[in-house]
Amino acid sequence: MFNFIKSWLKYSLKTMLLVTILVGISTAGWTSFSYAALPSGNAITDGKALLRYALPIDNQPVRKLQASLEDISNQLRANKRWSAVSRDLSQASRILDKPSQILTSVPAERQPQAETWIADLKSGIAELQEVVKNKQKDPILEGRAKLLNLVTLLEESMVTEFPFEVPAKFSNLPQLKGRATIAIKTNKGYLTVVVDGYSAPVTAGNFVDLVQRGFYNGLEFTRSEESYVLQTGDPEGKEVGFIDPATGKYRAIPLEILVEGEKEPTYGITLEDAGRYLDMPVLPFSSFGALAMARPEGNVDGGSSQVFFFLFEPELTPAGRNLLDGRYSVFGYLTEGKDILDKLKAGDKIESATVVQGIENLVQPQAA
């Protein structure tokens, strides 16, 4: 049976440096999760934002629009810098004054809808500028969230095709050529996750396929570590992963990591083993509810059905080059249900998992 390493972090503050120390105790079947993290500055810790930035698009105006709106929450946390919030909104408005620069990346057949979203963004920003004058944090954050949802739709409309070819040796595995949304009903409430096939098509495809098969229905969360991980996906019986009924064999999923600036993922080797210590994955372990593939110790390509949620705690596992990054495949993020995920422990149960959006992006292996 796969078990997570029991880990805990001890910190000491020396002058102005926070030193992260891991003490790890090895348990059977798991790769040691030794990790540390460098000070991260303004590392992105919101799963929805990370998913937006992971979209395979190249339109600088819409990225600047997104960044301006994302920054509002940073300014509100930093002693409520109202003038900076106003500047963010003004910058976003100026970008929208030149819609043609955004529309140039949108296919012609999608441009009428994109124009509607741009108009809604423009009016929504004007409304939010009035709200800022009252200096009320919650209405501003609510308005920002609605605007960013429109930005997500606008950015998604720019994606016209899957950006790379998955290596032929993985053609026997399901692949997700896009994204999918999964609703997970647990005994303590609902979780919503978005899995990203643009960054991890094999890992995400495997998960969506298993969800579609009902594999996770009724499974328990088998391991939990406070402020660290919550694991599930171990089927009843002696097996530790999914046995494909079509082949009668264990379905093994390769380690799959897309690095920032690269066009396709790296397979079968950790970034650490490849000597790529400064490279960052497009999908990092920097958000509460990052969803990743578990794997047995010593076998980077031995994952199957077991997955874990990373319970990101910024004071214990600071974002930014956490050494889990590049060692395990993140393939999605929790987008709704943070309070529920925070309550779940070992022994709690997944009552059902359902693909609610994006099943058309799942590509099954072709029969031989």
Side-chain angles (χ1 to χ4, degrees):
M1 176 178 179
F2 288 5
N3 290 306
F4 268 103
I5 275 206
K6 200 165 187 175
S7 306
W8 63 91
L9 298 176
K10 293 183 179 180
Y11 283 77
S12 60
L13 188 62
K14 296 181 179 180
T15 61
M16 297 180 66
L17 297 177
L18 181 64
V19 180
T20 306
I21 302 170
L22 172 74
V23 178
I25 300 175
S26 180
T27 56
W30 280 97
T31 303
S32 299
F33 275 1
S34 301
Y35 64 93
L38 300 175
S40 56
N42 291 324
I44 300 169
T45 60
D46 178 72
K48 290 182 179 180
L50 288 164
L51 286 165
R52 279 188 283 270
Y53 280 117
L55 283 167
I57 62 174
D58 184 20
N59 182 285
Q60 291 306 307
V62 82
R63 288 304 196 195
K64 290 179 181 178
L65 171 65
Q66 178 189 339
S68 296
L69 296 175
E70 302 279 12
D71 186 60
I72 290 173
S73 65
N74 296 329
Q75 301 302 338
L76 291 178
R77 284 196 300 269
N79 299 319
K80 298 179 181 178
R81 296 173 178 167
W82 303 110
S83 60
V85 172
S86 294
R87 286 195 297 272
D88 282 334
L89 290 171
S90 295
Q91 178 170 307
S93 182
R94 287 194 296 272
I95 293 168
L96 292 169
D97 285 337
K98 300 177 180 179
S100 61
Q101 294 182 358
I102 294 176
L103 292 170
T104 188
S105 296
V106 180
E109 66 274 15
R110 300 177 186 174
Q111 287 193 7
Q113 178 61 74
E115 290 172 348
T116 299
W117 290 329
I118 289 173
D120 290 344
L121 279 162
K122 187 72 175 176
S123 61
I125 286 171
E127 292 173 5
L128 202 55
Q129 286 174 319
E130 292 300 312
V131 174
V132 170
K133 294 177 182 179
N134 296 324
K135 297 183 178 181
Q136 293 180 313
K137 180 178 178 180
D138 288 344
I140 294 171
L141 289 175
E142 291 172 5
R144 167 187 172 274
K146 292 178 181 178
L147 292 173
L148 282 169
N149 285 339
L150 289 171
V151 171
T152 298
L153 295 172
L154 190 56
E155 291 178 343
E156 288 176 342
S157 74
M158 296 178 179
V159 183
T160 57
E161 59 184 5
F162 195 73
F164 57 87
E165 288 294 327
V166 176
K169 63 182 177 180
F170 303 129
S171 61
N172 63 320
L173 298 171
Q175 298 173 19
L176 188 67
K177 298 295 186 72
R179 288 182 171 172
T181 302
I182 314 296
I184 302 173
K185 181 184 179 183
T186 76
N187 60 302
K188 289 186 176 176
Y190 286 88
L191 308 173
T192 302
V193 298
V194 173
V195 293
D196 182 18
Y198 293 124
S199 302
V202 177
T203 316
N206 172 67
F207 182 73
V208 171
D209 176 66
L210 294 181
V211 168
Q212 189 73 354
R213 290 172 181 264
F215 177 87
Y216 294 99
N217 297 349
L219 290 189
E220 290 187 353
F221 293 96
T222 53
R223 188 78 175 184
S224 62
E225 300 288 345
E226 187 175 356
S227 301
Y228 188 27
V229 292
L230 179 71
Q231 172 202 354
T232 190
D234 183 11
E236 294 183 3
K238 65 178 182 178
E239 303 297 344
V240 294
F242 174 65
I243 305 301
D244 192 334
T247 63
K249 297 179 180 180
Y250 179 92
R251 180 193 282 175
I253 304 301
L255 181 68
E256 181 179 44
I257 298 168
L258 180 63
V259 172
E260 289 181 353
E262 297 193 350
K263 294 183 178 180
E264 58 188 62
T266 293
Y267 292 91
I269 187 170
T270 67
L271 297 186
E272 180 183 11
D273 288 342
R276 304 173 65 177
Y277 303 104
L278 298 181
D279 288 344
M280 284 295 296
V282 169
L283 303 180
F285 282 97
S286 63
S287 176
F288 185 89
L291 183 61
M293 173 64 72
R295 58 178 173 82
E297 184 173 5
N299 185 359
V300 294
D301 293 337
S304 183
S305 61
Q306 293 202 46
V307 299
F308 64 94
F309 288 100
F310 185 57
L311 308 181
F312 173 73
E313 171 50 60
E315 293 183 1
L316 297 178
T317 52
R321 295 201 169 88
N322 183 316
L323 292 188
L324 281 180
D325 290 321
R327 298 186 69 199
Y328 298 87
S329 302
V330 175
F331 62 94
Y333 293 99
L334 180 81
T335 58
E336 303 291 342
K338 179 178 179 179
D339 57 332
I340 301 301
L341 182 58
D342 206 28
K343 296 175 183 176
L344 291 167
K345 305 295 180 186
D348 286 320
K349 183 176 291 187
I350 295 176
E351 296 181 358
S352 65
T354 307
V355 183
V356 295
Q357 187 175 341
I359 192 60
E360 70 278 3
N361 296 323
L362 180 65
V363 178
Q364 294 288 0
Q366 296 297 315

